């Protein structure tokens, strides 16, 4: 099985020069975690919900691996302020550029491996890009498992 | 000038190795030593790498015999540092340090100047018991969070925390790397440090707060809502693992008792720390499956700052090399001559030179070099007659100068740089020159107090 067999072609595309809050409006109802950003037909990055929250946290909390329990602290007004700033910034400023891409003919083994590696990376999905840097598909754990399970006989 | 290559300790250097490439051992060792220190100062190459490369070259060139190099590594310093790092790596998972910082902030009623004082006290006390870098790594994030809740600029509090960590670390044998090295390489005990340095440290701490109050404190204010948010912190929720907390406190208690009694027990502080670390590792993993326990032990050891440990290893070998070729003896003779053999003048010179040098460069290599040098000067002072003065006065001068000197500039101590790194990432950078303008005069004041103390108490 290849990347092109399992990939989903049903995804939103964002324009990099639109403000984040505006770009997300049509997306909210669809509960997407990661949305690709395409500039003049070229795949340039991914806007992720996780990274927006990550960037809204103060650096001393975000970078400190011993600061993972914050149940002792009251709410921080800055969190809302910073999310508002992020919402006003352009998609290009807020997106992640470090994305995992594979070619359509990549094996499922390689796709599955790429999916579970580097849990701390900003984006989790694998993006299928053809030889002209055109985005052709999106693969998450969901696509991989659904395709494989549908072919297996559990009866 | 005497010819150092023919001095007492250098016969071995004339062996087969020294003939290699026909290099003069004295000048080669000196050049490599100075080059290593200069490269360490530029911070362009990792300091542990530089120290190990320099030491390796000296051994390969046949200038420093391997046996002498290994004998030069002070395993008491290494063991004490490693043991304490392991103990902190485990105990901090209980959340106890965040608990202490929040508790302290709430004692002040949430007022900014009060928070500055109470957090500084906690930092100073923790620095006296733990490594300074560890202490600021634990306290600074909580301080930044408190400042954000208060909606005040963290700058004055961070400066106070830097000062508190360096001043507090001065008080004990285990508080600061210079003290660890002095303590493990002389016959001075934990209690000697506590009784000789302990009394002056609180005075220096309070004296430091006065100018900080005049410059920053009286202008510090926060809104009622901000103070209420600080008071709304629930410190008990910071304790994530009460069971681990109890076990950690038990072991830390035993280790402190071990330090206080190490001399009577005939134990080195390193033994106490490593034994405590092993005991806490056992208590931490007891009851887990062998696989899970191994993984936890592995994670804890991975948290030891190996760069620091190997930096010490390389550094001790470099110092062993210049001792071996006679450079240290030569420097010691020079200092003796310059001070006319006067013990008080030598002590004061060492304190002030250490303070200024520690503000400019890392105090660890500086002190590592000075310790064997002072050791070789002591017999001459004894010969000249100390007039009833304890010879340990010179060690207290070195400790006070080197530890307090770290306050003098942003690059004076690792704790300063770590705090500045946090501040920078949080969007409140601490710049070199503005820090220097306040820190250098404060450091001079601290050393002046220390100098008066040493003079009154020992001379």
């Amino acid at each position: 099985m290849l990347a092109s067999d399992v990939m989903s072609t049903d995804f939103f595309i964002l324009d990099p020069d639109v403000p984040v809050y505006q770009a997300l409006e049509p997306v909210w109802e669809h509960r997407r975690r990661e949305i690709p950003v395409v500039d003049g037909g070229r795949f340039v990055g991914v806007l992720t919900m996780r990274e927006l929250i990550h960037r809204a946290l103060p650096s001393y909390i975000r970078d400190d691996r011993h600061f993972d329990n914050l149940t002792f602290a009251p709410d921080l007004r800055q969190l809302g302020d910073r999310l508002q700033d992020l919402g006003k910034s352009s998609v290009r400023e807020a997106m992640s550029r470090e994305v995992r891409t594979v070619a359509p003919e990549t094996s499922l083994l390689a796709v599955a491996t790429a999916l579970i590696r580097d849990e701390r990376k900003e984006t989790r999905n694998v993006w299928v890009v053809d030889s002209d840097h055109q985005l052709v598909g999106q693969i998450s754990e969901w696509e991989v498992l659904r395709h494989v399970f549908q072919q297996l006989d559990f009866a | 000038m005497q010819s150092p290559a023919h001095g007492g300790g250098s016969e071995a250097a004339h062996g087969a190795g020294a003939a290699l490439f026909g290099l003069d051992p004295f000048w080669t060792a000196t050049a490599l030593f100075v080059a290593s220190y200069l490269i360490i100062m530029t911070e362009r190459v990792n300091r542990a790498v530089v120290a190990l490369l320099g030491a390796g070259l000296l051994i390969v060139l046949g200038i420093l015999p391997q046996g002498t190099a290994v004998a030069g590594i002070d395993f008491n310093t290494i063991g004490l540092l490693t043991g304490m790092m392991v103990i902190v790596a485990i105990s901090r998972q209980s959340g106890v340090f965040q608990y202490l910082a929040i508790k302290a902030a709430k004692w002040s009623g949430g007022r900014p100047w009060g928070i500055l004082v109470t957090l500084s006290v906690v930092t100073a006390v923790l620095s006296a018991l733990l490594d300074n870098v560890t202490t600021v790594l634990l306290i600074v994030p909580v301080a930044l969070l408190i400042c954000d809740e208060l909606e005040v600029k963290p700058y004055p509090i961070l400066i106070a925390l830097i000062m508190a960590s360096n001043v507090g670390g001065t008080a004990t044998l285990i508080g600061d790397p210079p003290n660890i090295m002095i303590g493990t390489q002389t016959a001075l005990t934990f209690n000697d440090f506590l009784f000789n340095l302990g009394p002056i440290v609180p005075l220096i701490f309070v004296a430091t707060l006065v100018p900080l109050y005049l410059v920053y404190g009286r202008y510090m204010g926060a809104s009622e809502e901000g103070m209420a948010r600080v008071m709304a912190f629930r410190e008990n929720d910071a304790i994530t693992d009460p069971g681990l907390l109890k076990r950690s406190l038990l072991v830390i208690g035993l280790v402190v008792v071990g330090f206080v009694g190490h001399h009577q027990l005939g134990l080195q502080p390193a033994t106490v720390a490593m034994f405590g670390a092993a005991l806490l590792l056992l208590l931490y993993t007891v009851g887990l499956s062998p696989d899970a326990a191994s993984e936890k032990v592995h994670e804890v050891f991975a948290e030891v700052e190996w760069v620091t440990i190997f930096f010490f290893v390389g550094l001790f070998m470099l110092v062993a090399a210049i001792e071996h070729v006679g450079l240290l003896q030569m420097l010691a003779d020079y200092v003796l001559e310059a001070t006319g053999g006067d013990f008080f003048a030598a002590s004061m010179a060492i304190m002030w030179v250490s303070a200024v040098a520690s503000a400019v460069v890392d105090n660890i290599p500086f002190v590592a070099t000075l310790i064997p040098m002072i050791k070789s000067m002591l017999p001459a002072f004894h010969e000249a007659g100390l007039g009833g003065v304890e010879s340990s006065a010179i060690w207290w001068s070195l400790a006070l100068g080197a530890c307090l000197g770290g306050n003098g500039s942003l690059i004076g101590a690792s704790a300063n740089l770590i705090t500045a790194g946090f501040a920078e990432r949080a969007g409140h950078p601490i710049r070199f020159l503005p820090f220097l303008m306040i820190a250098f005069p404060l450091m001079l004041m601290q050393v002046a107090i220390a100098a008066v103390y040493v003079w009154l108490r020992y001379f």
Side-chain angles (χ1 to χ4, degrees):
Chain A
M1 220 182 294
L2 301 178
S4 53
D5 299 327
V6 298
M7 71 186 190
S8 155
T9 51
D10 169 31
F11 47 81
F12 286 85
I13 286 176
L14 300 184
D15 182 332
D17 299 313
V18 170
V20 169
Y21 78 92
Q22 206 177 322
L24 286 179
E25 256 163 32
V27 185
W28 289 128
E29 298 215 336
H30 300 273
R31 301 167 61 97
R32 299 297 163 106
R33 289 163 179 272
E34 300 187 7
I35 311 139
V37 183
V38 172
D39 188 10
R42 220 180 135 87
F43 178 43
V44 290
V46 175
L47 187 70
T48 80
M49 301 299 112
R50 187 183 157 81
E51 182 61 12
L52 287 179
I53 291 184
H54 194 248
R55 288 196 197 180
L57 288 172
S59 61
Y60 51 87
I61 294 174
R62 195 198 311 148
D63 304 337
D64 193 326
R65 65 206 152 94
H66 301 289
F67 221 165
D68 43 22
N69 161 42
L70 273 166
T71 52
F72 58 81
D75 208 2
L76 192 62
R77 194 157 73 200
Q78 291 200 344
L79 200 63
D81 293 349
R82 293 168 76 125
L83 276 172
Q84 185 171 26
D85 291 343
L86 277 169
K88 283 191 241 165
S89 67
S90 72
V91 168
R92 191 191 299 281
E93 287 168 313
M95 72 185 185
S96 307
R97 288 180 168 79
E98 244 188 277
V99 291
R100 280 173 261 215
T101 57
V102 295
E105 61 274 15
T106 309
S107 72
L108 186 64
L109 173 68
V111 169
T113 309
L115 273 175
I116 61 146
R117 285 273 183 262
D118 289 339
E119 288 187 18
R120 292 177 65 192
K121 263 209 167 155
E122 292 174 6
T123 62
R124 308 287 288 272
N125 289 354
V126 171
W127 302 90
V128 187
V129 174
D130 69 12
S131 49
D132 298 327
H133 293 285
Q134 297 279 329
L135 181 67
V136 294
Q138 167 188 13
I139 304 178
S140 65
E141 295 91 334
W142 184 246
E143 272 77 33
V144 171
L145 291 177
R146 194 179 59 174
H147 278 267
V148 176
F149 269 54
Q150 280 172 352
Q151 299 201 348
L152 296 176
D153 184 10
F154 288 103
Chain B
M1 192 191 290
Q2 68 176 112
S3 173
H6 301 290
S10 61
E11 283 94 334
H14 292 281
L20 197 72
F21 309 124
L23 295 169
D24 179 65
F26 178 80
W27 290 112
T28 313
T30 305
L32 274 172
F33 179 83
V34 172
S36 302
Y37 272 40
L38 286 177
I39 298 172
I40 289 170
M41 276 166 64
T42 66
E43 294 181 351
R44 298 293 290 273
V45 186
N46 183 286
R47 54 187 190 153
V49 176
V50 179
L52 289 171
L53 269 180
L57 264 176
L58 283 162
I59 297 174
V60 172
L61 291 175
I63 293 161
L64 174 64
Q66 278 183 65
T68 313
V70 173
I73 302 170
D74 176 18
F75 283 97
N76 284 316
T77 298
I78 307 282
L80 181 53
L81 283 168
T82 316
M84 293 309 286
M85 286 174 187
V86 167
I87 292 173
V88 174
I90 297 175
S91 52
R92 73 169 155 198
Q93 291 178 24
S94 67
V96 62
F97 298 108
Q98 285 158 8
Y99 172 88
L100 282 176
I102 295 166
K103 195 85 183 163
K106 287 176 73 170
W107 280 327
S108 66
R111 283 179 303 278
W113 170 254
I115 288 174
L116 182 146
V117 173
T118 53
L119 273 185
S120 298
V121 171
V122 168
T123 304
V125 171
L126 286 178
S127 289
L129 298 172
L130 312 171
D131 178 41
N132 294 352
V133 171
T134 311
T135 307
V136 297
L137 274 176
L138 296 166
I139 301 298
V140 168
V142 185
L144 285 168
L145 176 61
I146 289 170
C147 289
D148 272 348
E149 298 280 9
L150 273 177
E151 298 180 315
V152 299
K153 291 234 181 307
Y155 195 76
I157 292 187
L158 295 182
I159 289 187
L161 294 185
I162 288 176
M163 297 279 160
S165 77
N166 292 319
V167 172
T170 312
T172 66
L173 187 154
I174 55 170
D176 222 349
N179 287 6
I180 293 180
M181 286 188 284
I182 296 168
T184 54
Q185 295 178 37
T186 64
L188 299 168
T189 66
F190 185 84
N191 293 344
D192 288 336
F193 275 80
L194 200 59
F195 296 145
N196 288 282
L197 297 178
I200 190 62
V201 164
L203 187 69
I204 293 175
F205 177 79
V206 173
T208 307
L209 287 176
V210 174
L212 284 179
Y213 179 76
L214 295 175
V215 177
Y216 300 114
R218 52 190 173 141
Y219 307 113
M220 287 170 81
S223 61
E224 288 295 325
E225 303 89 75
M227 292 194 276
R229 277 198 294 275
V230 170
M231 296 314 283
F233 270 100
R234 294 186 304 269
E235 63 275 18
N236 291 334
D237 287 357
I239 302 291
T240 44
D241 189 341
L244 182 61
L245 175 67
K246 282 181 202 139
R247 283 172 275 174
S248 301
L249 290 179
L250 171 73
V251 171
I252 292 172
L254 286 174
V255 166
V256 169
V257 170
F259 283 145
V260 171
H262 79 94
H263 187 60
Q264 286 77 10
L265 297 165
L267 298 173
Q268 282 286 346
T271 311
V272 174
M274 283 309 296
F275 188 42
L279 181 63
L280 188 54
L281 276 168
L282 177 72
L283 294 175
Y284 178 52
T285 54
V286 72
L288 296 174
S289 75
D291 277 352
S294 289
E295 190 165 326
K296 289 230 171 198
V297 173
H298 188 90
E299 279 168 15
V300 169
F301 276 121
E303 278 195 41
V304 172
E305 289 154 52
W306 293 109
V307 170
T308 305
I309 302 294
F310 280 98
F311 175 53
F312 273 102
V313 169
L315 198 61
F316 285 137
M317 292 195 282
L318 279 175
V319 174
I322 59 161
E323 187 170 23
H324 180 70
V325 298
L327 174 63
L328 275 181
Q329 186 62 51
M330 197 182 96
L331 290 173
D333 290 342
Y334 176 76
V335 173
L336 277 173
E337 204 179 314
T339 56
D342 182 61
F343 190 57
F344 178 67
S347 297
M348 286 298 121
I350 280 176
M351 185 188 288
W352 285 99
V353 171
S354 310
V356 174
S358 298
V360 184
V361 298
D362 192 346
N363 59 16
I364 295 171
F366 185 77
V367 172
T369 319
L370 272 190
I371 290 172
M373 207 180 104
I374 293 175
K375 274 185 172 174
S376 61
M377 285 160 59
L378 278 177
F381 287 125
H382 276 291
E383 229 168 83
L386 294 172
V389 176
E390 293 170 53
S391 64
S392 62
I394 199 163
W395 295 118
W396 309 133
S397 304
L398 173 63
L400 288 164
C403 294
L404 297 173
N407 275 329
S409 82
L410 202 54
I411 55 167
S414 313
N416 310 8
L417 286 170
I418 300 272
T419 307
F422 269 113
E424 172 109 46
R425 287 192 297 277
H428 305 281
I430 301 176
R431 304 265 179 241
F432 185 83
L433 274 178
F435 182 81
L436 190 73
M437 305 286 270
I438 179 129
F440 199 79
L442 270 177
M443 181 275 282
L444 291 179
M445 177 201 77
Q446 294 167 344
V447 179
I449 296 173
V452 171
Y453 170 75
V454 167
W455 175 58
L456 286 177
R457 176 148 179 195
Y458 303 102
F459 292 94

